[in-house]
């Protein structure tokens, strides 16, 4: 086993443990902080894969913006005792664990039994430049549609969170 | 055995299953949104890994994961606004309390 393999396993273990913390911890503030750790671990996986731009976007958008939004909402909605603010269903969680475990097992089985047609090319250099050319070239319609989607989401979020007008 | 595509797919499978568990088992609405973020992240890992190991020197997978991040940001903004609006009416974040057929 090489050192680079160990880095992958460490990153994967960090990500999975943090993700388990998101669903297992009884305090939702701790869950939100574990979510930030999960995002950073996934960003490390992207860096390990050579996708530097995606890793940076992951840290900027997910670990920066989305998790701050989550923590903001948690603080806004918290009204009672924080230590029991993230409960699970009492019986339903065993059923959910069974279902998701079975799902993961079946998916892993099918991943192992598939023969992947790997055509590993050269290491991707200058991914930012290629992404920029594609975003402003072939995929400019999708790029503009994403911009309109974000605008619609901003307006919708403001209108929804402001509540009804008092008449 | 060096790190291949199966390692990444297994990692994203585990993350996806943890997200599924969270969606099914948690009772706090914000926790369910967090679990959906876990699911979207696992899909992103799949895209970037496939881009590295299957697509050759193209960069389509990374491009699509950018779009997924954009859609996730929009989803989380609208979702949290919906939760805030619902909590203002019901005075509870517990999903079991949302048991009415008509608002």
């Amino acid at each position: 086993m090489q050192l680079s393999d160990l880095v992958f396993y460490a990153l994967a273990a960090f990500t999975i443990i943090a993700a388990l913390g998101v669903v297992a911890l009884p305090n939702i503030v701790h869950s939100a902080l574990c979510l930030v750790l999960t995002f950073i671990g996934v960003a490390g996986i992207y860096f390990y894969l050579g996708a530097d731009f995606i890793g940076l976007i992951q840290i900027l958008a997910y670990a920066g913006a989305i998790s701050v939004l989550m923590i903001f909402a948690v603080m806004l909605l918290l009204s009672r005792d924080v230590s029991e603010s993230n409960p699970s269903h009492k019986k339903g969680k065993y059923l959910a664990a069974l279902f998701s475990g079975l799902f993961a097992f079946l998916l892993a089985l099918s991943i192992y039994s598939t023969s992947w047609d790997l055509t590993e090319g050269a290491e991707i250099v200058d991914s930012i430049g290629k992404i920029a050319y594609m975003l402003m070239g072939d995929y400019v319609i999708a790029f503009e549609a994403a911009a309109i989607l974000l605008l619609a989401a901003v307006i919708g979020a403001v209108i929804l969170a402001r509540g009804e007008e008092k008449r | 055995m060096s790190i291949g595509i199966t390692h990444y797919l297994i990692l994203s499978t585990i993350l996806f299953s943890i997200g599924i568990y969270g969606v099914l088992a948690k009772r706090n609405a914000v926790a369910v949104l967090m679990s959906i973020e876990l699911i979207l992240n696992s899909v992103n890992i799949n895209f970037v890994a496939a881009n590295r190991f299957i697509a050759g020197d193209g960069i389509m997978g990374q491009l699509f994961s950018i779009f997924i991040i954009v859609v996730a940001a929009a989803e989380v903004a609208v979702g949290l606004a919906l939760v805030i609006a619902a909590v203002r009416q019901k005075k509870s974040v517990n999903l079991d309390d949302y048991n009415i057929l008509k608002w």
Side-chain angles (χ1 to χ4, degrees):
Chain A
M1 187 184 286
Q2 292 169 335
L3 187 66
S4 58
D5 295 4
L6 272 179
V7 173
F8 172 78
Y9 287 121
L11 277 173
F14 176 78
T15 309
I16 289 169
I17 290 170
L20 281 175
V22 174
V23 295
L25 290 177
N27 185 336
I28 194 154
V29 179
H30 295 170
S31 285
L33 295 178
C34 275
L35 192 71
V36 179
L37 289 183
T38 312
F39 289 155
I40 291 171
V42 172
I45 296 282
Y46 293 154
F47 285 129
Y48 190 80
L49 275 165
D52 45 0
F53 183 62
I54 307 291
L56 289 174
I57 291 290
Q58 170 86 11
I59 290 178
L60 193 75
Y62 265 113
I66 289 181
S67 50
V68 165
L69 205 63
M70 285 280 184
I71 293 169
F72 208 54
V74 165
M75 299 292 175
L76 211 61
L77 297 175
L78 217 58
S79 55
R80 264 166 286 164
D81 184 19
V82 69
S83 61
E84 284 297 324
S85 52
N86 192 11
S88 302
H89 285 280
K90 282 193 179 63
K91 289 174 192 161
K93 71 176 177 187
Y94 299 110
L95 207 61
L98 183 72
F99 177 76
S100 50
L102 197 67
F103 182 77
F105 174 71
L106 288 176
L107 217 54
L109 210 64
S110 55
I111 286 168
Y112 271 115
S113 57
T114 306
S115 62
W116 298 97
D117 183 22
L118 300 180
T119 56
E120 187 170 356
E123 185 95 14
I124 294 168
V125 289
D126 186 27
S127 65
I128 299 178
K130 283 182 179 168
I131 288 173
Y133 271 110
M134 287 179 89
L135 273 182
M136 288 295 154
D138 291 347
Y139 292 87
V140 68
I141 305 279
F143 180 69
E144 298 295 342
I148 293 171
L149 173 75
L150 280 177
L151 180 67
V154 167
I155 296 172
V158 168
I159 289 174
L160 281 172
R162 196 183 55 175
E164 293 175 32
E165 297 272 335
K166 294 240 169 25
R167 295 208 175 86
Chain B
M1 182 173 167
S2 67
I3 304 296
I5 191 168
T6 48
H7 289 75
Y8 293 100
L9 293 183
I10 294 293
L11 170 65
S12 87
T13 300
I14 294 170
L15 268 187
F16 193 91
S17 304
I18 293 171
I20 291 274
Y21 169 79
V23 169
L24 292 175
K26 302 314 281 187
R27 293 159 80 185
N28 191 324
V30 182
V32 171
L33 279 175
M34 288 180 190
S35 306
I36 292 173
E37 292 305 312
L38 288 182
I39 293 175
L40 288 167
N41 262 291
S42 78
V43 173
N44 260 347
I45 292 178
N46 263 4
F47 265 118
V48 178
N51 182 74
R52 174 81 170 77
F53 289 101
I54 293 177
D57 54 352
I59 205 149
M60 195 84 88
Q62 297 192 19
L63 192 73
F64 271 81
S65 64
I66 289 178
F67 284 121
I68 289 180
I69 290 174
V70 169
V71 172
E75 174 259 339
V76 89
V78 176
L80 286 174
L82 276 172
V83 169
I84 288 171
V87 168
R88 193 176 290 147
Q89 301 268 330
K90 269 288 194 181
K91 308 282 184 242
S92 164
V93 278
N94 194 335
L95 286 173
D96 291 343
D97 292 339
Y98 298 105
N99 53 5
I100 51 177
L101 285 177
K102 188 172 180 298
W103 202 259

